[in-house]
Amino acid sequence: MNNNNYTLLDNVTHKDLRVIPQYSADFGDNVASVPVFATELANVIKHYPVLFYPTDKTTSDFTMVALLGLEAGENLFLNETLPESYQALRQQSGWAADYVPATVARGPFAIGLHENGNQVMVHVDASHPKLSTEQGKPLFLPKGGNSDYLNRISSILAVIHNGVQVTSDMVSMWHSMGLLEPMTVDIELVDGSKLTLGGHFAVSEEKVAALSATDLHTLHQHNYLQGLYLAMTSLNNLQTLIDLKNIRIHQELRAYA
C-alpha cells in the first residue's frame, strides 16, 4: 500500500462512510487484467484465464494475473452494456461472473500496518469514487460495530494479505522448473477483425506432462501442484472472453444498422 490517500479506517472518523457496491468503467474497473493470488485461485479459474506477466526485462519475476479483456483498457466482465437478452450475465453488481478477483472486489480498501509496525489494519482510500455518505453500503452499524459489508471486505483483504508471499514463492518455483512459456494467441472475431494476444506467459501443458517424479513430489510438498493444474486448465476460459467480446460486437453492429 503506497497511495498517500489511504488512511486508517475507524468508526468515528468514518462513521457515515458508505461504499457503492457496483463495478463500472466510471469507477476505474475497466482494466484488462488484475493480479490474483494462490489463496483465490480455485475461484478465479472458474471464469478467467490465468496468465503470468513478467515484471522485469529478464523475466525472472512474474505476476500472476486474471485476464479480463482482450485489449488494453477493456474489461469484458463489466456488463453495464450487455443487452437485456443476456440476463444470465447481468448481475446486479455490474459484473458478469459470480466471482470477482480480490484486487477488484476490495474496492477502496487496503491492508496496512499500524503505527506499532506489527498490527494489520484496514485502510481506506479517501479519494476513491466508490465512497459516499449518501448511497451504498454502510461500513459501520449505528452503534459503531462493523457492518456485514465491512466484514466481507476484511475477508477479501485477508485473501490478498495471505496470498502475496505464497503466490510469489509458488510462481518462482514454477518458473525455476521451466513450466512457464510465452503465449501468443491469434483471434478472429465475429466481424472478421483480428486480434493478437501476446506479452504474457502461460503454464505449458507439455512441460507439466514431462515433469519428473522428483519434481512432482517437490511441488506437492510445497502445496504448489494443485495450483499448477488449476492455472493450466484456466486457459479454457479464453473462449469465454472471446464470446463476451463477440456479444459486444453484435450489439454495436445492431446499433449502427
Side-chain angles (χ1 to χ4, degrees):
M1 185 185 70
N2 52 21
N3 188 327
N4 292 332
N5 290 319
Y6 278 102
T7 58
L8 182 64
L9 185 70
D10 72 82
N11 60 6
V12 176
T13 306
H14 305 110
K15 63 183 180 65
D16 297 322
L17 201 61
R18 292 172 174 263
V19 178
I20 302 170
Q22 300 293 316
Y23 300 100
S24 167
D26 292 339
F27 292 141
D29 297 320
N30 209 23
V31 292
S33 66
V34 292
V36 291
F37 304 94
T39 41
E40 61 176 335
L41 196 53
N43 288 315
V44 166
I45 60 99
K46 294 176 183 177
H47 304 287
Y48 315 102
V50 173
L51 301 175
F52 304 86
Y53 188 80
T55 55
D56 61 43
K57 293 181 180 179
T58 63
T59 67
S60 61
D61 188 27
F62 292 83
T63 297
M64 184 165 69
V65 301
L67 198 64
L68 308 179
L70 299 176
E71 300 181 86
E74 175 183 73
N75 183 346
L76 293 167
F77 291 90
L78 292 181
N79 61 20
E80 51 199 359
T81 60
L82 284 178
E84 293 294 331
S85 57
Y86 293 92
Q87 283 292 339
L89 297 176
R90 296 177 63 88
Q91 303 293 327
Q92 289 184 350
S93 66
W95 194 278
D98 60 14
Y99 182 80
V100 181
T103 50
V104 179
R106 71 177 183 174
F109 302 98
I111 280 182
L113 293 177
H114 193 256
E115 293 174 351
N116 60 22
N118 56 22
Q119 186 177 6
V120 174
M121 306 289 286
V122 176
H123 289 64
V124 61
D125 177 359
S127 65
H128 201 283
K130 290 188 181 183
L131 294 179
S132 174
T133 56
E134 300 176 353
Q135 58 179 317
K137 300 284 188 180
L139 297 180
F140 298 104
L141 301 175
K143 294 185 178 180
N146 291 355
S147 68
D148 289 342
Y149 180 80
L150 181 54
N151 288 335
R152 187 174 74 83
I153 291 297
S154 296
S155 67
I156 292 170
L157 293 175
V159 167
I160 298 172
H161 181 69
N162 296 331
V164 169
Q165 190 60 53
V166 67
T167 303
S168 177
D169 293 343
M170 179 179 73
V171 175
S172 292
M173 180 172 286
W174 294 349
H175 174 58
S176 70
M177 291 182 172
L179 302 177
L180 304 182
E181 63 180 8
M183 186 190 76
T184 300
V185 180
D186 294 318
I187 301 167
E188 183 170 351
L189 298 170
V190 69
D191 64 349
S193 62
K194 297 180 180 180
L195 293 174
T196 297
L197 182 65
H200 292 83
F201 284 61
V203 173
S204 168
E205 184 175 352
E206 180 180 346
K207 293 177 180 178
V208 170
L211 280 169
S212 68
T214 299
D215 285 342
L216 286 169
H217 181 65
T218 298
L219 288 165
H220 178 70
Q221 279 188 316
H222 287 84
N223 293 320
Y224 298 160
L225 186 58
Q226 182 185 26
L228 182 66
Y229 286 107
L230 290 175
M232 184 171 64
T233 58
S234 76
L235 296 180
N236 295 327
N237 292 325
L238 274 173
Q239 187 60 49
T240 298
L241 294 183
I242 296 170
D243 291 343
L244 289 172
K245 182 76 169 178
N246 282 330
I247 287 172
R248 283 157 173 78
I249 291 173
H250 273 303
Q251 186 181 17
E252 291 171 2
L253 291 175
R254 285 197 300 270
Y256 288 108

